[in-house]
Amino acid sequence: MKEVLIVYYSQSGQLLDIVQNLASSIEGKNVNITYYRISPENDYEFPWKQDDFYDAFPESFLQIPCELKPPKADILERKYDLIILGYQVWYLTPSIPINSFLKSDVAKKLLDQTPVVTVIACRNMWLMAQEKMKRLLVACNAKLVGNIALVDRHINHISVITIVHWMLGGKKTKYLGIFPKPGVSDEDIKASEKFGMPIRKALLNNDYTNLQDELLKLDAVKVKPLLIQTDIRGNVLFTKWANLIIKKGPSGNPKRKKLLVLFKYYLLFAIWAIAPIVFIVFLATYIPRYNKIKRDKAYYSSVSLKNN
């Protein structure tokens, strides 16, 4: 009997729907699946309060862990043949609960020498978050064998409006009755079961050599070249902001609150004013940078980790 552990953290329930659909085509004869939802001691509310959403930025981006409740004893008593790790992206980084789990002794025990498939559900930018995830998995002596990234397929500025409606309002509905529904589409969530078939095959054969290639054939990952540079540049700027804000003290500090207000307006300016300029520059330099873009797409679609 093959033992599979699905580790996840989901606020809205979207990510749980995805991993359950994925698991539906893995579970069956000779495969047993166990679920483990990561639970922070002080959980993050959904829908978010606006101030709480921005206040989570520095700890999220700087990967500062929070306290977690321990998993049930029976989860720790088994050795798993495969772990499926479902996560959200917060501020270009794996969410605080997922990051906290991966830095815990529990993760080091569960993931040690274990194949891992990551499943991402986010708005659009996940590339640098996955790079951080790769390093966290290496630190746990785990082996990343597959990655699936499901995103909001609508254009950037539309998805910004709809995701805010969902995060702060709590309902995955059409904003004003005219905008599309936010997040990963219902069709993509339902279709995620297709990814379970190659995972099940690799699991039963104990051979994950070609798993990511098989997942890519099913469109498990689509790398948008424009978002590569946007994500990299965003990380550079977020590093400056996060370090500046964290120096103002813990959550609730008045100086920190004032700086977070400035960060909020910077973020809005970056999305609505800077992002279109970046798009124009990207188009202007696309042809001379074509070969590098092609290499980058291949790398970020893979489960490899650069040595730098």
Side-chain angles (χ1 to χ4, degrees):
M1 178 68 72
K2 296 289 188 180
E3 294 288 343
V4 177
L5 179 65
I6 295 181
V7 181
Y8 71 99
Y9 179 78
S10 179
Q11 291 167 291
S12 66
Q14 174 181 262
L15 188 56
L16 177 58
D17 289 340
I18 291 170
V19 295
Q20 284 179 329
N21 276 304
L22 175 68
S24 68
S25 53
I26 299 175
E27 194 169 24
K29 186 178 180 181
N30 299 324
V31 177
N32 180 59
I33 293 181
T34 302
Y35 287 83
Y36 165 37
R37 181 192 185 273
I38 296 167
S39 298
E41 286 287 353
N42 297 305
D43 210 344
Y44 295 86
E45 293 183 359
F46 187 82
W48 285 92
K49 293 177 181 176
Q50 186 171 150
D51 288 349
D52 291 341
F53 171 74
Y54 288 105
D55 191 57
F57 162 64
E59 283 79 10
S60 177
F61 184 77
L62 296 174
Q63 296 181 270
I64 298 171
C66 67
E67 293 294 323
L68 301 177
K69 296 177 182 177
K72 294 180 180 178
D74 61 329
I75 288 178
L76 295 174
E77 290 170 357
R78 302 178 192 172
K79 176 60 182 174
Y80 298 94
D81 300 285
L82 173 68
I83 290 179
I84 296 173
L85 184 57
Y87 75 96
Q88 302 165 302
V89 176
W90 293 4
Y91 294 105
L92 311 182
T93 307
S95 72
I96 292 176
I98 286 290
N99 176 68
S100 303
F101 164 73
L102 289 167
K103 291 187 174 183
S104 71
D105 291 337
V106 169
K108 289 178 172 61
K109 179 179 179 180
L110 290 173
L111 293 169
D112 185 42
Q113 298 183 6
T114 304
V116 174
V117 173
T118 47
V119 180
I120 306 166
C122 69
R123 186 173 73 86
N124 58 9
M125 286 198 286
W126 55 268
L127 300 175
M128 295 303 109
Q130 183 66 359
E131 290 301 287
K132 296 169 190 178
M133 172 61 69
K134 290 175 182 178
R135 293 183 177 89
L136 289 166
L137 291 174
V138 168
C140 290
N141 199 29
K143 180 174 176 56
L144 181 64
V145 296
N147 179 45
I148 299 162
L150 300 182
V151 301
D152 187 326
R153 293 178 179 268
H154 296 99
I155 63 172
N156 187 49
H157 289 88
I158 292 295
S159 66
V160 167
I161 295 170
T162 59
I163 203 72
V164 170
H165 163 68
W166 184 23
M167 285 191 306
L168 302 184
K171 294 182 180 180
K172 194 176 181 180
T173 55
K174 293 184 176 182
Y175 179 53
L176 300 177
I178 57 173
F179 283 87
K181 291 176 70 174
V184 179
S185 70
D186 294 340
E187 292 79 8
D188 283 350
I189 292 173
K190 184 177 180 180
S192 60
E193 64 180 359
K194 67 184 177 182
F195 303 123
M197 291 177 278
I199 294 174
R200 177 180 170 85
K201 181 180 178 181
L203 172 67
L204 294 176
N205 292 335
N206 196 31
D207 183 2
Y208 299 94
T209 308
N210 299 314
L211 176 58
Q212 186 62 12
D213 290 337
E214 294 301 314
L215 291 173
L216 290 176
K217 291 176 184 177
L218 298 173
D219 294 328
V221 171
K222 282 187 177 290
V223 175
K224 295 183 178 181
L226 169 63
L227 295 184
I228 297 174
Q229 290 305 312
T230 304
D231 206 335
I232 292 172
R233 183 60 182 164
N235 269 264
V236 172
L237 296 172
F238 274 15
T239 297
K240 296 176 182 179
W241 273 103
N243 283 305
L244 190 62
I245 294 168
I246 205 73
K247 291 177 182 177
K248 300 301 180 182
S251 177
N253 185 294
K255 291 182 179 179
R256 171 172 166 139
K257 285 184 176 181
K258 289 180 181 179
L259 205 51
L260 282 169
V261 171
L262 292 177
F263 172 71
K264 170 187 173 180
Y265 287 110
Y266 160 76
L267 200 57
L268 293 172
F269 177 75
I271 292 170
W272 294 100
I274 298 178
I277 297 173
V278 172
F279 178 63
I280 293 170
V281 173
F282 170 78
L283 290 178
T285 59
Y286 183 84
I287 294 177
R289 297 179 63 249
Y290 176 76
N291 288 332
K292 184 179 187 306
I293 290 171
K294 188 175 180 180
R295 291 194 302 271
D296 285 345
K297 282 185 66 176
Y299 169 71
Y300 291 115
S301 298
S302 75
V303 292
S304 303
L305 176 61
K306 293 178 181 177
N307 293 325
N308 59 355

